[in-house]
Amino acid sequence: MDLGLVIISVILVASVFVPFFIIDFSGKSGIKQMRKLFKMEVVNHNLKLTEEENWGNTFIGLDKEQKKLIFMKVLGTEPLIHVIDLSKVMACEIDSKVNTVKTKTKRETILQKLNLKITAIESNNAEVILNFYDAEGIYGEDFEFARAEKWKSIIKGYIHTVYPGKRAA
């Protein structure tokens, strides 16, 4: 009788805790795979990152020596990757979209989208949009506005010159 009670207790405890361990392990393995993919892209572009940051499914890094920025956002199975030569950047600005919602006592602004818009010197190159946050994504807001401000100031540090017919932002 005691052995049967012990077996049932072990099965019950395992049925409660095993799903938590499985979910925790699967989430960490997904992040590891994304980080590994980012490191592979860094190696493929011969970059040596002096500064990097990641949150959720977004990775960004800077190679100060080559003056290049790499940005990767994993959407579904395909990563969106941008490698930007900062010596060819004319402007960088934050583009955000917010909705104002009225509650019982006050009005609140809710961030819907947050992008870093990078404009190249050459007019034939389109703007590059780095999406830092999208409310429709799978991750919640996690200080993305502060991150966007930080990376904007880093990028602006590489914009030194006013180009003929162009205005530095």
Side-chain angles (χ1 to χ4, degrees):
M1 187 78 166
D2 275 340
L3 183 62
L5 186 61
V6 169
I7 292 173
I8 290 173
S9 297
V10 169
I11 291 172
L12 284 173
V13 169
S15 68
V16 169
F17 288 105
V18 168
F20 290 113
F21 291 124
I22 291 171
I23 290 170
D24 186 49
F25 178 73
S26 66
K28 287 181 181 175
S29 69
I31 291 170
K32 284 181 184 177
Q33 289 174 347
M34 285 188 276
R35 183 169 287 130
K36 185 177 178 182
L37 179 62
F38 182 69
K39 294 293 182 189
M40 274 185 2
E41 288 297 326
V42 167
V43 169
N44 289 344
H45 289 92
N46 298 318
L47 300 174
K48 292 181 176 73
L49 299 184
T50 51
E51 192 163 348
E52 66 181 280
E53 188 173 6
N54 77 291
W55 64 98
N57 60 346
T58 308
F59 296 79
I60 189 168
L62 173 70
D63 182 332
K64 289 182 180 178
E65 191 176 304
Q66 293 185 46
K67 298 180 182 177
K68 290 192 177 179
L69 181 84
I70 184 168
F71 179 86
M72 181 180 90
K73 188 168 192 104
V74 180
L75 302 168
T77 58
E78 287 298 313
L80 175 66
I81 300 165
H82 294 286
V83 178
I84 301 163
D85 186 348
L86 296 176
S87 64
K88 296 179 180 178
V89 170
M90 181 179 72
C92 177
E93 58 189 52
I94 292 176
D95 179 29
S96 63
K97 179 183 176 191
V98 294
N99 283 347
T100 304
V101 178
K102 186 176 180 182
T103 62
K104 291 180 182 179
T105 57
K106 60 182 177 176
R107 297 175 77 99
E108 292 184 28
T109 58
I110 300 172
L111 184 62
Q112 295 298 311
K113 269 192 187 216
L114 179 65
N115 297 319
L116 204 57
K117 190 168 28 171
I118 299 174
T119 308
I121 296 167
E122 298 151 5
S123 60
N124 60 346
N125 288 350
E127 288 180 332
V128 177
I129 305 293
L130 306 180
N131 178 251
F132 275 60
Y133 176 75
D134 190 343
E136 295 177 12
I138 59 173
Y139 290 97
E141 190 176 347
D142 186 24
F143 304 107
E144 278 85 357
F145 206 86
R147 285 188 175 102
E149 285 286 344
K150 171 188 167 186
W151 286 97
K152 175 187 167 188
S153 68
I154 289 171
I155 293 167
K156 283 196 170 226
Y158 290 89
I159 303 171
H160 298 293
T161 312
V162 175
Y163 302 96
K166 309 272 182 180
R167 188 173 54 99

